[in-house]
């Protein structure tokens, strides 16, 4: 017996005007599929500077964000060492991979195993402020799921996915919500260019 899943066709609009008309419907559909996510905290999200390190041509800041959903989100900022240009730095919200490498998370910014150069320092040298967080179950957030410290990796991810389904939402939705909280924080900073904010990453 084979399982047949009826997936509706997504037609890519041929013009920008058509995309703008379709975008609202796409967003409504996506939000409905993610589940009933808790309201995000008022902007800016409560943030605590945990540490700052000058590395010569770039600076690393470590920040803790309160996501107002029962979790503290560890974050790292890599920015140029020089003062921000007029109008502020352009921003890259960097999404770490999955790859079953739960211990890494945001520290991917400083590694070369899967990229030719360290993404964080390389982008900072090119004039960007780079911001990355640990997703649920990754990096500093390992062992904080329903099973506590003894449950990490795939087991923690599975438990967190089940718990969120019981709560009427999805783990993926909660991860995206944390990204939105991160963007809210970045948006509040006076040293960034709000007209130039982008996102990049791979896998997850």
């Amino acid at each position: 017996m084979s399982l047949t899943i009826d997936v509706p066709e997504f037609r890519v609009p041929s013009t920008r005007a058509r995309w703008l008309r379709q975008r609202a419907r796409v967003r409504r559909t996506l939000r409905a599929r993610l589940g009933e996510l808790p309201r995000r905290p008022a902007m800016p999200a409560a943030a605590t500077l945990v540490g700052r390190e000058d590395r010569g041509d770039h600076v690393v800041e470590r920040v803790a964000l309160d996501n107002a959903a029962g979790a503290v989100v560890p974050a790292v900022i890599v920015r140029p060492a020089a003062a921000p240009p007029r109008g502020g730095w352009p921003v890259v919200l960097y999404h770490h991979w999955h790859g079953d490498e739960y211990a890494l998370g945001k520290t991917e910014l400083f590694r070369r195993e899967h990229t030719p150069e360290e993404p964080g320092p390389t982008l900072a040298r090119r004039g960007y402020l780079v911001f990355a967080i640990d997703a649920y179950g990754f990096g500093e957030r390992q062992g904080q799921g329903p099973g506590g410290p003894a449950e990490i990796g795939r087991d923690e991810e599975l438990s967190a996915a089940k718990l969120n389904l019981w709560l009427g939402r999805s783990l993926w939705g909660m991860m995206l919500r944390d990204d939105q909280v991160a963007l809210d924080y970045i948006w509040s900073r006076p040293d960034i260019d709000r007209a130039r904010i982008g996102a990049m990453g791979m896998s997850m």
Side-chain angles (χ1 to χ4, degrees):
M1 178 177 159
S2 62
L3 176 66
T4 302
I5 301 175
D6 184 20
V7 178
E9 180 183 359
F10 179 79
R11 297 188 179 181
V12 179
S14 58
T15 66
R16 184 174 189 273
R18 288 179 180 173
W19 168 248
L20 291 175
R21 288 196 297 271
Q22 182 177 333
R23 183 169 60 178
R25 179 170 51 82
V26 170
R27 283 182 169 173
R28 283 194 304 272
T29 301
L30 175 60
R31 285 182 179 135
R33 299 304 178 264
L34 295 175
E36 298 178 14
L37 304 180
R39 183 183 294 271
R40 296 203 314 272
M43 284 182 58
T48 303
L49 180 64
V50 177
R52 180 183 287 118
E53 180 184 354
D54 187 336
R55 297 189 177 180
D57 59 1
H58 65 280
V59 173
V60 176
E61 297 177 3
R62 301 194 184 278
V63 177
L65 300 174
D66 182 349
N67 76 354
V72 173
V73 182
V76 65
I77 294 166
V78 188
R79 61 171 177 81
R86 185 174 180 181
W89 291 301
V91 175
V92 172
L93 178 63
Y94 193 93
H95 302 274
H96 66 74
W97 59 67
H98 189 295
D100 290 338
E101 295 183 311
Y102 296 95
L104 295 184
K106 65 186 179 310
T107 62
E108 171 190 335
L109 284 179
F110 306 101
R111 305 178 76 91
R112 304 183 178 195
E113 289 94 333
H114 307 292
T115 51
E117 300 179 52
E118 300 170 318
T122 299
L123 288 166
R125 290 184 197 108
R126 296 181 181 182
Y128 292 89
L129 182 148
V130 187
F131 191 61
I133 64 172
D134 282 329
Y136 282 93
F138 286 82
E140 293 181 71
R141 295 177 82 177
Q142 288 188 105
Q144 297 179 11
E151 187 177 65
I152 61 172
R154 292 181 183 183
D155 292 335
E156 180 179 11
E157 190 172 31
L158 180 59
S159 291
K162 287 180 179 178
L163 174 63
N164 279 288
L165 288 175
W166 290 333
L167 294 172
R169 61 199 191 202
S170 64
L171 176 59
W172 182 244
M174 292 299 288
M175 289 178 173
L176 290 177
R177 181 185 176 278
D178 276 354
D179 289 330
Q180 291 176 315
V181 171
L183 283 171
D184 289 343
Y185 165 72
I186 283 293
W187 183 263
S188 73
R189 287 179 62 116
D191 56 359
I192 63 106
D193 183 348
R194 291 181 173 179
R196 295 191 295 163
I197 299 177
M200 67 178 291
M202 66 170 90
S203 180
M204 195 168 66

